[in-house]
């Protein structure tokens, strides 16, 4: 690879000198950068974790993409991603642990369940966006807690011991932040940042990224879209949602069995 004069080597590859200096200058004013873990896996949905990455990048946090192995994986769809940290390397003192929509099969993976069951109890803020909330439930983190998800799967949270809250607005219960998809990742991350460092800085970050959603069609929820469009959308994703229901419950059962055996 030819190295351009304006690039610099980083642990993950080449970056631009201007960006590296901007990050370095920002961290000089921070005695201890926030530690942010973003769970990735084959088939993860990038839009559900982009909010966390965007919000915490602005405050120069240490951001780690966490998976079992450091191997190239594909986000859904055509989004090649290289994890930067393994489960074993993940520290216990994460400030934020985030999971977005992931394939249902992953929720039945005992290694993944154990990771969330362990790190979800020690991280200061745990964010579940969209069906990522089901992963938190499968790991036993939502028992007796209020939680939400996207409109198609929110009722499944009750099967995982949670108190389901419809509407997709961010629901905070203890150290758990759950939300609907896409922009919910930004909302939950800004609220978590507020709880970690204060509202003044969180509000400045909201301005820095000019986070001001203005949906062009006004169909971003079943209530807004109406029954006809909602049914069409639900029918399209019904087979996958059935698999989410089965896999999350089976994952939760694995968690319960494993807990009894330890």
């Amino acid at each position: 690879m030819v190295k351009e004069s304006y690039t610099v080597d980083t642990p993950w590859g080449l970056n631009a000198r201007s960006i590296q200096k901007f990050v370095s200058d920002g961290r000089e004013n921070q005695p201890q950068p926030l530690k942010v873990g973003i769970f990735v896996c084959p088939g993860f949905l990038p839009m559900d974790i982009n909010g966390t990455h965007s919000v915490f990048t602005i405050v120069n946090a240490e951001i780690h993409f966490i998976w079992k192995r450091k191997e190239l994986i594909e986000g859904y769809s055509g989004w090649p991603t290289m994890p930067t940290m393994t489960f074993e390397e993940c520290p216990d003192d994460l400030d934020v642990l985030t999971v977005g929509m992931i394939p249902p099969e992953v929720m039945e993976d005992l290694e993944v369940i154990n990771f969330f069951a362990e790190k979800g109890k020690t991280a200061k803020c745990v964010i579940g966006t969209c069906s990522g909330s089901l992963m938190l439930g499968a790991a036993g983190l939502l028992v007796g807690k209020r939680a939400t998800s996207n409109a198609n799967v929110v009722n499944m949270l009750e099967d995982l011991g949670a108190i389901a809250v419809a509407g997709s607005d961010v629901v905070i219960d203890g150290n758990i932040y759950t939300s609907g998809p896409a922009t919910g990742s930004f909302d939950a991350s800004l609220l978590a940042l507020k709880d970690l460092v204060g509202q003044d800085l969180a509000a400045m970050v909201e301005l820095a990224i000019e986070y001001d959603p203005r949906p062009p069609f006004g169909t971003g929820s079943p209530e807004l879209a109406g029954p006809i469009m909602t049914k069409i959308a639900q029918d399209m994703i019904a087979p996958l949602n059935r698999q989410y229901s089965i896999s999350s419950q089976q994952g939760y059962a694995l968690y319960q069995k494993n807990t009894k055996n330890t």
Side-chain angles (χ1 to χ4, degrees):
M1 178 185 296
V2 176
K3 184 177 177 180
E4 305 294 345
S5 60
Y6 54 78
T7 61
V8 62
D9 286 315
T10 77
W12 321 122
L14 297 180
N15 202 337
R17 293 181 184 276
S18 59
I19 299 301
Q20 286 299 105
K21 185 177 187 307
F22 188 72
V23 172
S24 177
D25 290 348
R27 286 184 177 170
E28 283 185 2
N29 300 319
Q30 298 181 31
Q32 185 64 48
L34 295 173
K35 296 179 183 179
V36 178
I38 298 176
F39 179 78
V40 295
C41 64
F44 81 96
L45 192 62
M47 76 171 182
D48 284 338
I49 55 89
N50 280 344
T52 297
H53 188 269
S54 299
V55 166
F56 286 96
T57 290
I58 297 300
V59 296
N60 301 304
E62 293 179 2
I63 297 179
H64 307 282
F65 291 98
I66 305 174
W67 174 236
K68 297 180 184 184
R69 296 169 293 275
K70 294 175 183 176
E71 59 188 2
L72 189 64
I73 58 177
E74 181 187 6
Y76 175 59
S77 170
W79 193 286
T81 302
M82 179 62 75
T84 60
M85 178 177 282
T86 66
F87 291 173
E88 290 76 16
E89 295 169 336
C90 181
D92 290 331
D93 61 343
L94 285 176
D95 293 289
V96 180
L97 175 61
T98 290
V99 57
M101 176 180 167
I102 57 177
E105 297 95 323
V106 179
M107 298 179 188
E108 298 182 56
D109 186 327
L110 186 57
E111 191 174 355
V112 174
I113 294 168
N114 288 339
F115 168 76
F116 277 99
E118 177 185 352
K119 302 303 181 182
K121 293 175 182 175
T122 60
K124 291 179 182 176
C125 301
V126 180
I127 299 174
T129 300
C130 192
S131 61
S133 299
L134 295 179
M135 183 67 250
L136 302 184
L141 297 175
L142 300 184
V143 177
K145 292 184 179 291
R146 299 171 68 252
T148 192
S149 185
N150 70 64
N152 293 313
V153 306
V154 64
N155 290 335
M156 299 178 192
L157 293 171
E158 296 178 353
D159 297 323
L160 310 177
I163 302 167
V165 180
S168 292
D169 290 338
V170 179
V171 174
I172 304 173
D173 196 330
N175 72 327
I176 305 291
Y177 299 67
T178 54
S179 73
T183 56
S185 174
F186 285 86
D187 297 338
S189 297
L190 286 166
L191 290 171
L193 181 63
K194 181 204 75 168
D195 291 341
L196 289 167
V197 301
Q199 184 166 327
D200 289 347
L201 180 55
M204 285 298 296
V205 170
E206 183 175 306
L207 172 60
I209 62 177
E210 296 190 33
Y211 179 59
D212 181 25
R214 282 164 281 184
F217 309 117
T219 57
S221 71
E223 293 76 18
L224 292 172
I228 295 177
M229 182 180 290
T230 296
K231 186 177 187 310
I232 293 173
Q234 289 177 339
D235 287 347
M236 289 172 59
I237 201 169
L240 183 61
N241 283 337
R242 284 193 291 271
Q243 191 171 355
Y244 272 118
S245 179
I246 294 169
S247 293
S248 61
Q249 289 184 59
Q250 291 181 343
Y252 184 46
L254 280 173
Y255 161 77
Q256 292 176 309
K257 180 179 179 181
N258 191 57
T259 301
K260 290 179 180 178
N261 293 335
T262 56

